[in-house]
Amino acid sequence: AAIDLDSLGSTGLVLVGAGNGDGFGSVIAGGGSFDGDARPDVALAAPFGAGLNGEAYVIYGTATPPASLAMSQLNGLKAAPCASLSPSI
């Protein structure tokens, strides 16, 4: 289903991949609460990140999300890289 991003107003969140061409956000999955706080978290992949090894990230749900979150500037509290992948090319 399509989402009209303009309809999000100030409740939207911009996620920025760590590198150009890494494919960040091409795979997205809701996974419940990875950190056990009962807030919904989301897992995102960058299949061509980390020198084509791929990367996966978990974005932790929070009551007060930032306006944007850059994967290259993770602080370990709102997001964490969680795996290396082997993308099929």
Side-chain angles (χ1 to χ4, degrees):
I3 298 173
D4 178 6
L5 298 181
D6 289 331
S7 70
L8 294 175
S10 63
T11 61
L13 170 64
V14 175
L15 301 173
V16 181
N20 290 334
D22 65 2
F24 177 74
S26 59
V27 179
I28 302 172
S33 179
F34 289 102
D35 58 359
D37 67 357
R39 289 192 174 104
D41 303 324
V42 65
L44 299 103
F48 305 109
L52 297 181
N53 289 319
E55 296 173 307
Y57 300 89
V58 173
I59 310 299
Y60 300 124
T62 178
T64 54
S68 68
L69 184 59
M71 299 302 104
S72 63
Q73 299 175 350
L74 296 179
N75 63 14
L77 299 176
K78 298 193 186 321
C82 61
S84 263
L85 309 172
S86 296
S88 299
I89 299 177

